[in-house]
Amino acid sequence: MQIAKEHIRQNILNAALPLFYAKGYSKVTIREIADDSHVGLSNIYNYYNSKENIFRELVQPVINDFEIMLDKHHGKSGSDIMEMYTEHYLRAVIAEYISLIKKHRNLLFLLLFRSQGTSLENYKSDFADRSTEVVKEYFRNMKIKHPELNINISEFTIHLHTVWMFTMLEELIMHKKVSDEIEQIITEYMIFSTTGWRELMKG
């Protein structure tokens, strides 16, 4: 029975994704999702109590990965800032961004371009605001470990860094860049970004 339920849930998600992708959240109806998933309109509510819950479950994997990345680099699990100066760190972050796009290209498109009308329509700005606070706290902790660091960096510049990250992802998706191009662009972006932070944080 559990396997059957999970199969139906997956059918609903599989039907909803291309609809949301093509039309955007607000222009898709529950009836369309029910029809395309071959699940009765009344039955669909046994699995999802709203259209938004379907959308949120679809994009949750990419949201989870954004949260993991933020914590890994600047949160409680954040590595030492001096790793930013290493080639290993640079290559690891490049690989991380490439993996994010390859794994979640369609979900990124939904989250960044098709979420109008959901509670996630301001996800980019909400994440940037929260990321700014996390990074500020991270800088304060790194200053204790490395007193020579300059952390007198404007909050707006920290905020912009996250906005630029989303802009890069949006542009890569909208311009349909392929693997080789993505790797080159992300590498250039990360070299530019890490070099800038190093200069700003020189004591």
Side-chain angles (χ1 to χ4, degrees), residues 74 97 135 156-166 189-190 193-194 197:
H74 302 298
Y97 277 106
V135 171
F156 193 73
T157 294
I158 298 171
H159 178 88
L160 277 176
H161 181 67
T162 302
V163 174
W164 291 332
M165 180 267 292
F166 279 118
Y189 168 82
M190 287 309 307
S193 177
T194 54
W197 282 117

Side-chain angles (χ1 to χ4, degrees), residues 23-179:
K23 301 170 68 173
Y25 172 84
S26 60
K27 294 183 179 178
V28 174
T29 67
I30 282 282
R31 181 174 292 280
E32 287 178 291
I33 297 172
D35 289 345
D36 285 13
S37 63
H38 306 291
V39 176
L41 182 60
S42 59
N43 191 29
I44 209 168
Y45 288 103
N46 292 322
Y47 298 89
Y48 297 98
N49 59 23
S50 69
K51 183 175 69 167
E52 175 157 348
N53 281 355
I54 298 173
F55 186 89
R56 289 190 70 99
E57 185 162 330
L58 278 169
V59 299
Q60 195 61 49
V62 71
I63 289 175
N64 291 344
D65 279 358
F66 277 130
E67 297 297 328
I68 290 168
M69 288 172 68
L70 178 60
D71 184 61
K72 179 179 177 181
H73 294 290
H74 302 298
K76 292 180 180 178
S77 304
S79 53
D80 193 286
I81 200 166
M82 290 304 170
E83 289 188 18
M84 186 188 296
Y85 294 81
T86 67
E87 183 71 14
H88 172 75
Y89 176 90
L90 178 64
R91 294 300 157 191
V93 176
I94 290 168
E96 204 169 30
Y97 277 106
I98 291 171
S99 174
L100 182 76
I101 295 175
K102 285 184 176 179
K103 185 166 66 167
H104 296 309
R105 183 188 284 264
N106 288 343
L107 302 187
L108 281 165
F109 184 83
L110 291 186
L111 180 62
L112 300 177
F113 295 103
R114 292 291 188 259
S115 60
Q116 290 79 11
T118 76
S119 59
L120 294 169
E121 65 181 1
N122 296 315
Y123 178 80
K124 290 183 293 182
S125 59
D126 292 343
F127 185 89
D129 289 344
R130 190 159 48 81
S131 176
T132 300
E133 294 305 313
V134 170
V135 171
K136 284 165 58 182
E137 179 65 20
Y138 173 73
F139 282 172
R140 286 192 288 267
N141 291 334
M142 289 299 105
K143 180 70 171 178
I144 295 170
K145 293 181 69 175
H146 306 286
E148 72 280 7
L149 287 176
N150 168 43
I151 64 167
N152 187 28
I153 298 168
S154 71
E155 184 173 310
F156 193 73
T157 294
I158 298 171
H159 178 88
L160 277 176
H161 181 67
T162 302
V163 174
W164 291 332
M165 180 267 292
F166 279 118
T167 299
M168 176 190 69
L169 294 173
E170 289 175 336
E171 290 296 308
L172 287 172
I173 292 165
M174 287 300 292
H175 291 278
K176 297 182 173 61
K177 294 300 182 183
V178 296
S179 293

